[in-house]
Amino acid sequence: MKALYISSNHANNSTLMVEHEITELQRDAIYGVGRRMEFVFLPALPFEDVENQILVHKPDIVHISAHGEEDSLELVDSKGNPRKLTDEALRVLLAPSPPKLVYLNACDSAALAKAITDTVPFAIGTKAPITNFAARKGAVSFYRALAQGRTLLSAFKSSESIVKTLGNIETSLFTQNNEVASSPVFYEPIRLVAHFHNHKTNFPSGSANFDIGIAGCPASTIQTVFTTNDRTFLSGDDESLEEDLCSVSLDMPWSGEVWLDYAWNTWGDIKIFALLITASGEHFSVSSTLCDALTAFYQVYHQCEPAEFPTELKQAIAKLKANDGSRMRASDETSTAVRKKKSTKKLTAKQGS
């Protein structure tokens, strides 16, 4: 994901304190898991250069931090003179290479944001004057949420709550043609994902089969190693540790995903680790629990938060969490013993996701 940060402040106006916003975005918000989001900062860009920079960088998000009024934003030209940027002028700047989202971090910018959704799919603006502090913290919250791989709507809700709490100001997310804003994911961090084999969440025998994968892989990934340190996978032969605990995929990513072509089988929650190696020699490592990997997958699969998962899915994940090997959590000897049973991998050829 690439974001283009544009700011402009006339010398006679109070400072926007853009240096604080840029610092906080760089420090807290733009690092995803394993690699950073691409953020291009242009904090003193003259008005007449905006269109060209959008064409050069072709960003997914254009973020404009400026002073605003109900019908315009204020930018400055290369001579330092203030220029009013109306919705019509903003459309002209965006039209040659429309981003997916325009974030107007400015006072009274909601009307402008709504107006430009005939040119861009999504736009964010505020409905009243907003303090620099609330605006800055709202932006940091928004991009931090995107860096975590959350949906546009989820990230907006986090930002909206911050701004309302700090500044008592409403922000709005406008969509083109009433598109559903919950579905776009702007940034896919490198993360482990998993789903129940064939999505069968009923496992009366006590163990279940899982497809294990990784999302957000660089396109140049050439090898992925999956492993666990869970002792229930051990066969008892010290010479077979690698075979017992590791699985290797030489597949190239499809839409940023690499999946093992066979299922793992286990009785409860386990730790999973993965190492990605790219053609250029870069390497990334990630870790997760099985239950967290399941949650990460089904949040996208079902397009909802974990609290809204289907009941049978929530119960299946809860059952795995209960069998994580904790003696203090176990309610009796039977539940403790269940977790000690044998886990396996290479059990079932994958039939598809």
Side-chain angles (χ1 to χ4, degrees):
M1 187 201 86
K2 180 188 285 189
L4 177 63
Y5 179 102
I6 297 170
S7 181
S8 196
N9 186 40
H10 185 248
N12 293 333
N13 282 330
S14 59
T15 177
L16 289 170
M17 299 180 71
V18 295
E19 65 277 9
H20 292 276
E21 186 173 20
I22 291 173
T23 297
E24 290 194 37
L25 286 171
Q26 289 178 320
R27 183 187 65 199
D28 299 330
I30 64 176
Y31 282 90
V33 178
R35 56 196 169 95
R36 72 193 299 269
M37 295 191 298
E38 186 175 357
F39 231 108
V40 179
F41 292 101
L42 300 174
L45 185 68
F47 160 75
E48 58 266 37
D49 293 340
V50 170
E51 180 179 354
N52 182 59
Q53 290 301 314
I54 294 174
L55 280 168
V56 168
H57 293 287
K58 293 181 170 52
D60 300 292
I61 300 174
V62 170
H63 178 109
I64 302 178
S65 184
H67 290 290
E69 300 175 355
E70 289 188 5
D71 60 349
S72 64
L73 299 177
E74 184 180 281
L75 301 181
V76 298
D77 61 23
S78 56
K79 295 182 179 181
N81 299 313
R83 300 296 177 183
K84 298 293 185 181
L85 189 62
T86 64
D87 58 346
E88 182 178 353
L90 193 52
R91 288 191 194 95
V92 171
L93 296 179
L94 297 168
S97 183
K100 297 176 183 176
L101 167 71
V102 174
Y103 190 126
L104 300 179
N105 209 14
C107 298
D108 296 305
S109 54
L112 275 175
K114 184 177 182 179
I116 62 174
T117 53
D118 59 358
T119 304
V120 299
F122 305 101
I124 293 173
T126 61
K127 293 184 177 180
I130 184 172
T131 65
N132 291 332
F133 182 71
R136 183 170 76 247
K137 293 300 182 180
V140 170
S141 175
F142 177 77
Y143 290 109
R144 182 189 293 126
L146 288 186
Q148 294 167 351
R150 289 160 59 184
T151 64
L152 171 59
L153 183 58
S154 177
F156 170 74
K157 286 182 176 180
S158 293
S159 174
E160 179 185 37
S161 176
I162 291 289
V163 172
K164 191 168 186 178
T165 301
L166 294 178
N168 197 27
I169 299 298
E170 290 188 16
T171 55
S172 297
L173 170 62
F174 299 99
T175 67
Q176 190 176 69
N177 301 322
N178 296 317
E179 291 184 28
V180 179
S182 61
S183 56
V185 175
F186 279 65
Y187 175 83
E188 184 71 68
I190 300 175
R191 55 181 173 174
L192 282 155
V193 289
H195 65 78
F196 289 94
H197 189 64
N198 293 329
H199 303 293
K200 293 181 179 178
T201 56
N202 183 27
F203 41 105
S205 64
S207 67
N209 299 331
F210 304 93
D211 291 331
I212 308 294
I214 192 163
C217 300
S220 59
T221 300
I222 57 173
Q223 182 172 321
T224 309
V225 180
F226 299 86
T227 185
T228 180
N229 64 344
D230 197 275
R231 291 178 177 272
T232 62
F233 281 78
L234 296 175
S235 63
D237 184 356
D238 290 342
E239 295 183 359
S240 64
L241 282 175
E242 296 89 347
E243 183 177 348
D244 291 341
L245 298 177
C246 299
S247 298
V248 180
S249 172
L250 299 179
D251 292 339
M252 297 288 287
W254 285 89
S255 299
E257 299 177 12
V258 171
W259 291 86
L260 290 175
D261 56 4
Y262 46 79
W264 286 16
N265 175 274
T266 188
W267 297 79
D269 203 11
I270 60 173
K271 288 285 186 68
I272 309 172
F273 309 88
L275 173 67
L276 290 81
I277 302 170
T278 69
S280 63
E282 289 184 295
H283 58 275
F284 305 93
S285 60
V286 288
S287 63
S288 176
T289 65
L290 173 60
C291 288
D292 285 346
L294 288 167
T295 300
F297 175 88
Y298 284 110
Q299 277 184 282
V300 177
Y301 186 78
H302 286 297
Q303 288 297 308
C304 66
E305 298 298 322
E308 301 170 331
F309 282 175
T311 300
E312 62 274 14
L313 177 59
K314 288 194 287 188
Q315 290 175 342
I317 294 176
K319 182 177 179 180
L320 291 169
K321 286 183 177 179
N323 292 335
D324 67 350
S326 170
R327 296 186 181 185
M328 293 183 70
R329 182 179 298 171
S331 58
D332 53 44
E333 288 298 322
T334 302
S335 57
T336 302
V338 164
R339 186 64 190 92
K340 293 179 180 178
K341 292 186 179 181
K342 186 77 172 74
S343 300
T344 59
K345 59 190 186 66
K346 303 182 181 180
L347 177 75
T348 309
K350 194 174 82 166
Q351 300 298 317
S353 61

